[in-house]
């Protein structure tokens, strides 16, 4: 938003700049002429629960949510920091409407273009230069994080022959494993999983993500990793075929693209974001495969999935 758009409601001056946010997240402005701080929007935060929040037993003020656990909700007073716990047998969360254009200053088409280019292993600064707008690479990084939780991969209903493999991602000298299931004919990623270990339990989680509630007879092609021995033990509807190391080309091609993406990022700053990155990578790569690497068509598909959700 440019300074010429917003004017001070007291003196009418346009010599203003942004001055942080209030406690409800509304943008604040500061007028350089009359030294007045003001905001254009006075909306309050949505409540996670529809019931009245408890009062502080010490000072009597309304408490706020501090942490949400599985068995209880922890409240805390902003003034005296007194804490209280309430069990979670309470009303359901109030659904929050999602407006796809609300969180970004720029058109959503530009934001989605940055999102697609990012998972095509283009660096943040290169994306910034290609967009021809005045935006920082940090803002683009925040766009990616906001959009990464909105999309999910679609599993083809006719996926009866899949390839499974895993690769290693290093973070502060610790190994993390990324697992893929790739459909044989379409070469689409149909399931993924991120784990700290490479054992039978992780193979079981990967296959459960693929099957969901629709178990069917499939053919699974893997390398000689011993963890895939869980397939014959746990699943009678899977024909497990073992190939030699380096001959599982369906998965190896996807992992080479994923490693290019990791190198473009120069590693991960926060390992907790790795599942979001992997999910978005799978979504973008599948859409590029289905749309013949046409970025404009991929953006249209992503935009339609946002506006119809």
């Amino acid at each position: 938003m440019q300074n010429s758009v917003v004017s001070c409601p007291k003196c009418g001056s346009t010599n203003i700049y942004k001055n942080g946010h209030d406690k409800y997240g509304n943008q604040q402005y500061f007028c350089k002429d009359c030294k007045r701080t003001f905001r254009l929007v006075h909306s309050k935060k949505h409540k996670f629960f529809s019931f009245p929040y408890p009062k502080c037993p010490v000072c009597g003020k309304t408490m706020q949510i501090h942490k949400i656990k599985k068995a209880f909700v922890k409240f805390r007073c902003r003034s005296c920091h007194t804490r209280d716990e309430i069990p979670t047998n309470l009303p359901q969360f109030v659904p929050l409407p999602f407006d796809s254009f609300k969180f970004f200053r720029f058109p959503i088409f530009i934001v989605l273009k940055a999102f697609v280019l990012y998972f095509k292993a283009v660096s943040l600064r290169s994306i910034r230069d290609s967009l021809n707008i005045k935006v920082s690479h940090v803002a683009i990084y925040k766009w990616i994080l906001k959009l990464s939780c909105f999309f999910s991969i679609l599993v083809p209903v006719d996926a009866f022959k899949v390839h499974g493999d895993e690769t290693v991602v290093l973070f502060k000298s610790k190994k993390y494993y990324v697992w893929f299931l790739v459909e044989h004919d379409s070469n689409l990623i149909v399931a993924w999983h991120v784990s700290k270990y490479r054992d039978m339990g992780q193979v079981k989680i990967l296959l459960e993500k693929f099957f969901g509630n629709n178990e069917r007879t499939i053919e699974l092609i893997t390398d000689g990793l011993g963890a895939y021995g869980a397939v014959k033990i746990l699943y009678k509807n899977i024909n497990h075929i073992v190939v030699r190391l380096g001959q599982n080309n369906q998965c190896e091609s996807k992992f080479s693209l994923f490693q290019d993406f990791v190198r473009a990022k120069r590693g991960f700053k926060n390992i907790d974001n790795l599942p979001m990155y992997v999910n978005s990578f799978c979504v973008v790569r599948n859409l590029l495969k289905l749309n013949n690497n046409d970025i404009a068509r991929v953006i249209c598909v992503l935009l339609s999935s946002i506006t119809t959700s």
Side-chain angles (χ1 to χ4, degrees):
M1 183 178 294
Q2 300 179 354
N3 288 346
S4 60
V5 178
V6 181
S7 61
C8 177
K10 182 177 181 181
C11 65
S13 172
T14 59
N15 188 18
I16 63 174
Y17 63 86
K18 293 183 178 180
N19 190 25
H21 299 79
D22 63 5
K23 63 180 182 179
Y24 298 114
N26 301 315
Q27 180 68 58
Q28 295 187 146
Y29 299 91
F30 180 78
C31 179
K32 296 182 180 179
D33 294 336
C34 65
K35 311 300 182 184
R36 180 175 182 266
T37 300
F38 64 94
R39 55 186 183 273
L40 303 179
V41 181
H42 299 268
S43 63
K44 295 185 178 181
K45 287 183 179 179
H46 291 278
K47 293 180 64 176
F48 283 103
F49 295 98
S50 58
F51 59 86
Y53 288 3
K55 299 289 184 179
C56 177
V58 177
C59 62
K61 294 184 178 180
T62 302
M63 306 178 73
Q64 294 186 344
I65 293 179
H66 178 53
K67 291 182 180 180
I68 301 177
K69 299 292 185 179
K70 186 176 181 180
F72 60 89
V73 180
K74 183 177 291 187
F75 289 87
R76 185 176 66 177
C77 179
R78 287 176 60 94
S79 300
C80 59
H81 304 290
T82 303
R83 300 185 182 185
D84 192 11
E85 296 179 359
I86 296 179
T88 54
N89 52 350
L90 301 171
Q92 298 294 324
F93 286 103
V94 176
L96 302 181
F98 171 69
D99 182 2
S100 57
F101 300 92
K102 179 179 179 181
F103 307 104
F104 310 106
R105 286 194 300 144
F106 298 96
I108 194 67
F109 183 86
I110 294 178
V111 177
L112 289 175
K113 181 180 179 181
F115 179 79
V116 174
L117 290 177
Y118 184 76
F119 290 101
K120 284 197 68 177
V122 182
S123 66
L124 290 172
R125 288 173 175 81
S126 298
I127 296 173
R128 178 197 60 190
D129 298 337
S130 66
L131 294 178
N132 295 323
I133 58 175
K134 189 177 180 181
V135 64
S136 68
H137 65 281
V138 178
I140 297 175
Y141 174 72
K142 292 180 180 179
W143 295 351
I144 306 302
L145 292 182
K146 287 181 180 179
L147 288 175
S148 292
C149 59
F150 293 147
F151 309 111
S152 59
I153 61 175
L154 299 177
V155 180
V157 295
D158 56 346
F160 297 104
K161 185 176 182 180
V162 296
H163 296 252
D165 205 354
E166 76 288 337
T167 190
V168 178
V169 175
L170 293 177
F171 179 76
K172 295 183 179 180
S173 301
K174 293 183 180 180
K175 291 183 178 181
Y176 294 83
Y177 298 95
V178 178
W179 306 72
F180 282 167
L181 281 182
V182 181
E183 209 272 326
H184 177 76
D185 296 324
S186 62
N187 203 21
L188 298 176
I189 303 173
V190 295
W192 61 270
H193 177 52
V194 178
S195 67
K196 294 183 180 180
Y197 309 102
R198 190 168 58 168
D199 53 20
M200 293 184 177
Q202 312 308 320
V203 175
K204 183 176 182 295
I205 295 174
L206 178 66
L207 292 174
E208 286 178 349
K209 287 185 176 181
F210 169 67
F211 284 122
N213 298 324
N214 184 22
E215 290 196 9
R216 54 191 181 275
T217 302
I218 66 168
E219 186 176 285
L220 176 63
I221 302 173
T222 67
D223 55 20
L225 180 67
Y228 291 108
V231 174
K232 294 183 178 180
I233 300 174
L234 300 175
Y235 299 93
K236 304 300 182 182
N237 57 330
I238 296 180
N239 180 22
H240 185 204
I241 300 176
V242 179
V243 297
R244 290 196 299 176
L245 187 65
Q247 294 185 354
N248 199 358
N249 296 328
Q250 306 293 93
C251 281
E252 295 296 337
S253 62
K254 296 298 181 183
F255 284 137
S256 63
L257 295 174
F258 182 74
Q259 294 294 349
D260 291 341
F261 164 69
V262 175
R263 282 191 291 269
K265 281 184 54 60
R266 297 182 181 179
F268 295 97
K269 306 300 184 297
N270 186 357
I271 198 62
D272 294 335
N273 294 333
L274 180 57
M276 290 194 303
Y277 289 134
V278 175
N279 179 73
S280 298
F281 172 84
C282 296
V283 171
V284 172
R285 282 298 167 182
N286 283 355
L287 290 178
L288 288 171
K289 182 71 176 178
L290 292 172
N291 294 279
N292 297 321
N293 289 321
D294 189 339
I295 296 179
R297 293 175 60 183
V298 172
I299 293 174
C300 292
V301 174
L302 293 175
L303 180 59
S304 64
S305 66
I306 290 179
T307 55
T308 57
S309 60

